[in-house]
Amino acid sequence: MPFQKETLILGSGPCADQLVGHLAAHGVSVRQVTMSGAAAVNLPTISGGKPIQRLDGAQLVQCQGIAGEFSVVLDDGTKPVRYKVSSIVVVPECLHVPNHDLYGLNPSEKVLALSALEKMLQRGSVQAIIPTQARVVFLNSWSIDPHPVMAQAMLQGCLEMQQKLDVRTFFLCGNLKVSVDGMEACYELAKKAGTAFVKFSDRFPVLVPLADGRIQIDYWDETTRMEYRLVADLVILDEQIMPDPRLADIVRQLRLESDDLGFAQSDNVHRLPNWTNRRGIFVAGGARAVLTEAALSVDANQTAQNVIAFLSGLDRAPLPKVEIDPGRCARCLTCYRLCPHAAITMEPRMIIHAEACQSCGLCVAACPNRAIQLQDSTLETAFNQQAGQGAQAQAQSSDCIPRIALFCCSRSAAQARELAKSMGHQLPASLRFVEGVCGGTFSVRHMLTAIEAGLDGILVLTCHEGNCHSGKGPHEADKRVREAARLLTGAGIAPERLQFTTLAANMGREFAEVVNGFEEKIKALGPV
Amino acid sequence: MNLNGKQVTILGAGITGLEAAKHLAVSGIEVVMLERTSQPGGQAAALSCKAVDGCVRCGACMVQERLKEIMRFPNIRIISDARVAQIARQYGFTITCESNKGVSTTHSDAVLVSTGFQAYDPSAKPYGYGYIPDVITTLEAEALLKRHGKIQRPSNNQEPKSIAFIQCVGSRDSRLNHPWCSKICCGSSLRMARLIQHRQPGTLATFFYIDVQTFGKNFQHYYDESKNTIQMIRAIPGDIFKTSDNQMLAAFFDPQTQKAGEAVFDLVILAVGLTPAKENVELARLLDFPLTPWGFWRSHRDGATGRAKGIFTAGAALGPMSIPECIDSAGQAAWDIVQFLGTT
């Protein structure tokens, strides 16, 4: 079954091209923007699939709309053109920057970056620039750790030179990175072939360029505890592998989360492998991490699979709807700014798009006018029964049994609770339990109403910072607990009656510990 | 691609099998998962969360997530306590499996092997494992953390004041013919050390290593911070003895002083490597599928033709893999299975 709308691919290179080929073969119309002036290499050849529209060197200058109905503007330098696409995959290649600055060495015929060496090895032109019996020294970072993918490439280059050419190779590093398939075996081979490995922990070598351009390396060897001097006929520098700098602009245009290194995927395990904070927008290859050549190919396959699942509407289970009451909405844009999934647009009414919404409820809890409703009534029902008005009718609180409500995130604390129960942990008898999709669902109103209804303490439990499906859940929940506690203090009620704690889904024992500890605290405080 | 009616049997319901099952179920394939133990989740389900102030990206929670996610697919069925007794090959695979619910037979068009790894048994190493009670493996330390939330010495149930973490036990070992890095141990040991120091302040942690391997995107930051509270010694102890006051004495060659060094600890945690599961041999025989010289499964991509057609392999059954790598590997295998079923 062919898919009606186009999928936009931003990027080129082996991963992007393999992905494009797979999608086209499965009946997905693809528009590929290669991000560079030059045509992409390794063009996939498709038989019987959908044609691929290609735009070389164009830039994404705008993106509006939501999953299934994105409207993007691409500018190839001649004129901006608007396209409708159903999904977007960001897949640029990483950038390799030689570490000249790190070692204080200038590029020359005797100081080559690894990429340059790889090209020369392919052409067989290395012999021309080195004497026989040349000393070739590979520098693989000691003061900062190299990426294992770079270490792999360095080690492979070193092994090839040692085995095929009449040279003596030296491999200088800090931690030798062998956590890539086959690398320990490659290291063993290189040692057997004659490569000398020198590792540094805290005393680092001194590199001095000589008049003839060779590099003199003075170092202290930790194993023999002796000073050595090595004059290199050829030095091979490793490279920093970093995200394409143009990714920053794409991240901004697409309103994506990014990580500390600049990749277009936050460092959150729940986004693995190809998901982003926005449904219908995927990241692959160099957009999400530094990957080995083998891993890039794997990523192209699984991304194709994930895109097709999305286009078929099978990427997720049905979720409760969230809707804005236009009568109450003051268009203050609080929800628009807060939504981690960019599911809210102004046209000119504020609209929450079900296709993009993940039902986390952050906007519901934050709306100052209570104009947003989660159509799933289970949260409000549970709240009313357990902590709201319904709770009032129940037994009076007594000195010995405090009435405590737990506000739990469904993905972490609620599962930890199940685990605690299955592990046989004792939990307070008078616990009331309210579960929300995300910890960010619970509002200041929820907390104050519960205290007003006669509860003695409220424990808000979310996942750990950096582990939230909505990105900002723990942060928002913490903020609201503080705000509610401030209001309680103003009313003469101890702010300790509200507590915010983070837990993971597999922390059953810790769940019991936190809850029992909280009960002790509330017991000590006595009834409100 | 309409694959309704196609059937796939997945051997092993760990993180890899669960992820693959999800992908296959999306394509409309009937999935039967055979799990050797009493519960799905695999070895990652036994790991504890390593969060200190925030998430440290150990990935242990991802198993729970996958277990919850596959519940929405009626076309995934899990049989626990299952043992593959027989596999007949004619128009696909007819798999006879024994479980405590009796003997059942399933027919499938393809088989995915995602049986995972086996942790190295360090009894043969000179670390006293098996007869010094306070020498334990990382997996046993995980179990202690899961049960008590804290680390205790098995000999007297007291909290240790000093812990040695010894890396590469059964990995990167040419004498054992284990020429591989197990990839996950540096990360899991350092995260564990910091979790223990967080929960049991004042605990001294010493990390014995060959090379610290990168884990996670934010490795450099995490590693630099770890060095502030954890003593790093670039050496692997040769021997461990029990002293008269019930401590462990580790003897090693100290590269800094160039002399034989000694240090005593209350607890020793061995970072045991990932090795092939011993069941691989029998299962490979039943499937008539080749293993590597070390006993891991070969990738189905390395020329799976002839008898091997229709058999796919993924995850740590192929060799050491982190949880994120297992997820990628599962995605790859599921993709290949879908392509295979679409053309047969």
Side-chain angles (χ1 to χ4, degrees), chain A residues 213-227:
Chain A
R214 292 184 303 164
I215 306 298
Q216 174 184 302
I217 303 167
D218 290 322
Y219 67 90
W220 185 77
D221 178 49
E222 290 174 8
T223 319
T224 55
R225 254 178 103 74
M226 279 162 67
E227 302 275 358

PDB file of all heavy atoms in Angstrom, chain A residues 213-227:
ATOM      1  N   GLY A 213      61.069  19.180  10.027  1.00  0.00           N
ATOM      2  CA  GLY A 213      59.631  18.918   9.956  1.00  0.00           C
ATOM      3  C   GLY A 213      59.206  17.673  10.709  1.00  0.00           C
ATOM      4  O   GLY A 213      58.013  17.457  10.954  1.00  0.00           O
ATOM      5  N   ARG A 214      60.186  16.823  11.105  1.00  0.00           N
ATOM      6  CA  ARG A 214      59.812  15.644  11.879  1.00  0.00           C
ATOM      7  C   ARG A 214      59.427  16.070  13.290  1.00  0.00           C
ATOM      8  O   ARG A 214      59.733  17.170  13.727  1.00  0.00           O
ATOM      9  CB  ARG A 214      60.979  14.645  11.927  1.00  0.00           C
ATOM     10  CG  ARG A 214      61.265  14.021  10.567  1.00  0.00           C
ATOM     11  CD  ARG A 214      62.352  12.968  10.654  1.00  0.00           C
ATOM     12  NE  ARG A 214      63.589  13.513  11.199  1.00  0.00           N
ATOM     13  CZ  ARG A 214      64.586  12.767  11.670  1.00  0.00           C
ATOM     14  NH1 ARG A 214      64.474  11.454  11.691  1.00  0.00           N
ATOM     15  NH2 ARG A 214      65.683  13.335  12.132  1.00  0.00           N
ATOM     16  N   ILE A 215      58.731  15.192  13.986  1.00  0.00           N
ATOM     17  CA  ILE A 215      58.258  15.525  15.338  1.00  0.00           C
ATOM     18  C   ILE A 215      59.037  14.698  16.358  1.00  0.00           C
ATOM     19  O   ILE A 215      59.099  13.466  16.264  1.00  0.00           O
ATOM     20  CB  ILE A 215      56.748  15.261  15.489  1.00  0.00           C
ATOM     21  CG1 ILE A 215      55.943  15.976  14.402  1.00  0.00           C
ATOM     22  CG2 ILE A 215      56.258  15.692  16.883  1.00  0.00           C
ATOM     23  CD1 ILE A 215      56.036  17.490  14.387  1.00  0.00           C
ATOM     24  N   GLN A 216      59.614  15.416  17.314  1.00  0.00           N
ATOM     25  CA  GLN A 216      60.325  14.724  18.389  1.00  0.00           C
ATOM     26  C   GLN A 216      59.370  14.546  19.563  1.00  0.00           C
ATOM     27  O   GLN A 216      58.698  15.485  19.987  1.00  0.00           O
ATOM     28  CB  GLN A 216      61.533  15.562  18.786  1.00  0.00           C
ATOM     29  CG  GLN A 216      62.292  15.032  19.982  1.00  0.00           C
ATOM     30  CD  GLN A 216      63.409  15.992  20.360  1.00  0.00           C
ATOM     31  OE1 GLN A 216      64.282  16.305  19.556  1.00  0.00           O
ATOM     32  NE2 GLN A 216      63.363  16.476  21.592  1.00  0.00           N
ATOM     33  N   ILE A 217      59.296  13.323  20.078  1.00  0.00           N
ATOM     34  CA  ILE A 217      58.353  13.028  21.161  1.00  0.00           C
ATOM     35  C   ILE A 217      59.136  12.525  22.365  1.00  0.00           C
ATOM     36  O   ILE A 217      59.799  11.483  22.293  1.00  0.00           O
ATOM     37  CB  ILE A 217      57.324  11.966  20.709  1.00  0.00           C
ATOM     38  CG1 ILE A 217      56.592  12.447  19.441  1.00  0.00           C
ATOM     39  CG2 ILE A 217      56.321  11.661  21.827  1.00  0.00           C
ATOM     40  CD1 ILE A 217      55.793  11.377  18.744  1.00  0.00           C
ATOM     41  N   ASP A 218      59.094  13.290  23.437  1.00  0.00           N
ATOM     42  CA  ASP A 218      59.733  12.865  24.688  1.00  0.00           C
ATOM     43  C   ASP A 218      58.656  12.379  25.629  1.00  0.00           C
ATOM     44  O   ASP A 218      57.677  13.091  25.877  1.00  0.00           O
ATOM     45  CB  ASP A 218      60.485  14.034  25.336  1.00  0.00           C
ATOM     46  CG  ASP A 218      61.713  14.413  24.524  1.00  0.00           C
ATOM     47  OD1 ASP A 218      62.375  13.501  23.998  1.00  0.00           O
ATOM     48  OD2 ASP A 218      61.990  15.631  24.396  1.00  0.00           O
ATOM     49  N   TYR A 219      58.806  11.179  26.126  1.00  0.00           N
ATOM     50  CA  TYR A 219      57.776  10.666  27.022  1.00  0.00           C
ATOM     51  C   TYR A 219      58.366   9.795  28.111  1.00  0.00           C
ATOM     52  O   TYR A 219      59.482   9.294  28.021  1.00  0.00           O
ATOM     53  CB  TYR A 219      56.700   9.914  26.238  1.00  0.00           C
ATOM     54  CG  TYR A 219      57.153   8.625  25.583  1.00  0.00           C
ATOM     55  CD1 TYR A 219      57.065   7.414  26.266  1.00  0.00           C
ATOM     56  CD2 TYR A 219      57.644   8.623  24.281  1.00  0.00           C
ATOM     57  CE1 TYR A 219      57.458   6.223  25.658  1.00  0.00           C
ATOM     58  CE2 TYR A 219      58.041   7.442  23.676  1.00  0.00           C
ATOM     59  CZ  TYR A 219      57.953   6.251  24.368  1.00  0.00           C
ATOM     60  OH  TYR A 219      58.347   5.080  23.784  1.00  0.00           O
ATOM     61  N   TRP A 220      57.571   9.630  29.141  1.00  0.00           N
ATOM     62  CA  TRP A 220      57.930   8.787  30.277  1.00  0.00           C
ATOM     63  C   TRP A 220      57.062   7.551  30.213  1.00  0.00           C
ATOM     64  O   TRP A 220      55.832   7.651  30.175  1.00  0.00           O
ATOM     65  CB  TRP A 220      57.669   9.587  31.567  1.00  0.00           C
ATOM     66  CG  TRP A 220      58.104   8.881  32.804  1.00  0.00           C
ATOM     67  CD1 TRP A 220      59.385   8.754  33.270  1.00  0.00           C
ATOM     68  CD2 TRP A 220      57.266   8.244  33.776  1.00  0.00           C
ATOM     69  NE1 TRP A 220      59.393   8.071  34.456  1.00  0.00           N
ATOM     70  CE2 TRP A 220      58.108   7.749  34.790  1.00  0.00           C
ATOM     71  CE3 TRP A 220      55.899   8.041  33.884  1.00  0.00           C
ATOM     72  CZ2 TRP A 220      57.621   7.057  35.905  1.00  0.00           C
ATOM     73  CZ3 TRP A 220      55.404   7.362  34.987  1.00  0.00           C
ATOM     74  CH2 TRP A 220      56.262   6.877  35.986  1.00  0.00           C
ATOM     75  N   ASP A 221      57.695   6.407  30.150  1.00  0.00           N
ATOM     76  CA  ASP A 221      56.936   5.174  30.004  1.00  0.00           C
ATOM     77  C   ASP A 221      56.582   4.610  31.376  1.00  0.00           C
ATOM     78  O   ASP A 221      57.455   4.370  32.207  1.00  0.00           O
ATOM     79  CB  ASP A 221      57.769   4.161  29.203  1.00  0.00           C
ATOM     80  CG  ASP A 221      57.038   2.841  29.053  1.00  0.00           C
ATOM     81  OD1 ASP A 221      55.854   2.873  28.677  1.00  0.00           O
ATOM     82  OD2 ASP A 221      57.630   1.799  29.353  1.00  0.00           O
ATOM     83  N   GLU A 222      55.296   4.386  31.595  1.00  0.00           N
ATOM     84  CA  GLU A 222      54.831   3.951  32.918  1.00  0.00           C
ATOM     85  C   GLU A 222      55.256   2.525  33.240  1.00  0.00           C
ATOM     86  O   GLU A 222      55.439   2.172  34.400  1.00  0.00           O
ATOM     87  CB  GLU A 222      53.298   4.049  32.984  1.00  0.00           C
ATOM     88  CG  GLU A 222      52.801   5.486  32.997  1.00  0.00           C
ATOM     89  CD  GLU A 222      51.286   5.591  32.927  1.00  0.00           C
ATOM     90  OE1 GLU A 222      50.597   4.558  33.026  1.00  0.00           O
ATOM     91  OE2 GLU A 222      50.796   6.717  32.760  1.00  0.00           O
ATOM     92  N   THR A 223      55.384   1.709  32.212  1.00  0.00           N
ATOM     93  CA  THR A 223      55.701   0.306  32.473  1.00  0.00           C
ATOM     94  C   THR A 223      57.172   0.132  32.871  1.00  0.00           C
ATOM     95  O   THR A 223      57.480  -0.565  33.832  1.00  0.00           O
ATOM     96  CB  THR A 223      55.393  -0.544  31.212  1.00  0.00           C
ATOM     97  OG1 THR A 223      54.181  -0.080  30.658  1.00  0.00           O
ATOM     98  CG2 THR A 223      55.261  -2.001  31.563  1.00  0.00           C
ATOM     99  N   THR A 224      58.058   0.808  32.143  1.00  0.00           N
ATOM    100  CA  THR A 224      59.486   0.648  32.463  1.00  0.00           C
ATOM    101  C   THR A 224      59.995   1.757  33.380  1.00  0.00           C
ATOM    102  O   THR A 224      61.127   1.690  33.855  1.00  0.00           O
ATOM    103  CB  THR A 224      60.322   0.662  31.170  1.00  0.00           C
ATOM    104  OG1 THR A 224      60.012   1.873  30.462  1.00  0.00           O
ATOM    105  CG2 THR A 224      60.015  -0.531  30.296  1.00  0.00           C
ATOM    106  N   ARG A 225      59.145   2.755  33.616  1.00  0.00           N
ATOM    107  CA  ARG A 225      59.532   3.910  34.442  1.00  0.00           C
ATOM    108  C   ARG A 225      60.791   4.580  33.907  1.00  0.00           C
ATOM    109  O   ARG A 225      61.701   4.922  34.665  1.00  0.00           O
ATOM    110  CB  ARG A 225      59.754   3.457  35.888  1.00  0.00           C
ATOM    111  CG  ARG A 225      58.643   3.878  36.825  1.00  0.00           C
ATOM    112  CD  ARG A 225      58.900   3.356  38.207  1.00  0.00           C
ATOM    113  NE  ARG A 225      59.405   4.408  39.100  1.00  0.00           N
ATOM    114  CZ  ARG A 225      58.662   5.375  39.594  1.00  0.00           C
ATOM    115  NH1 ARG A 225      57.397   5.482  39.271  1.00  0.00           N
ATOM    116  NH2 ARG A 225      59.184   6.254  40.424  1.00  0.00           N
ATOM    117  N   MET A 226      60.847   4.757  32.600  1.00  0.00           N
ATOM    118  CA  MET A 226      62.017   5.402  32.013  1.00  0.00           C
ATOM    119  C   MET A 226      61.608   6.458  31.001  1.00  0.00           C
ATOM    120  O   MET A 226      60.540   6.396  30.432  1.00  0.00           O
ATOM    121  CB  MET A 226      62.900   4.346  31.321  1.00  0.00           C
ATOM    122  CG  MET A 226      63.801   3.597  32.314  1.00  0.00           C
ATOM    123  SD  MET A 226      64.430   2.069  31.640  1.00  0.00           S
ATOM    124  CE  MET A 226      65.493   2.682  30.349  1.00  0.00           C
ATOM    125  N   GLU A 227      62.519   7.437  30.810  1.00  0.00           N
ATOM    126  CA  GLU A 227      62.298   8.478  29.808  1.00  0.00           C
ATOM    127  C   GLU A 227      62.712   7.939  28.432  1.00  0.00           C
ATOM    128  O   GLU A 227      63.707   7.213  28.329  1.00  0.00           O
ATOM    129  CB  GLU A 227      63.176   9.699  30.122  1.00  0.00           C
ATOM    130  CG  GLU A 227      62.952  10.313  31.482  1.00  0.00           C
ATOM    131  CD  GLU A 227      61.803  11.317  31.496  1.00  0.00           C
ATOM    132  OE1 GLU A 227      61.219  11.554  30.426  1.00  0.00           O
ATOM    133  OE2 GLU A 227      61.516  11.847  32.579  1.00  0.00           O
TER     134      GLU A 227
END
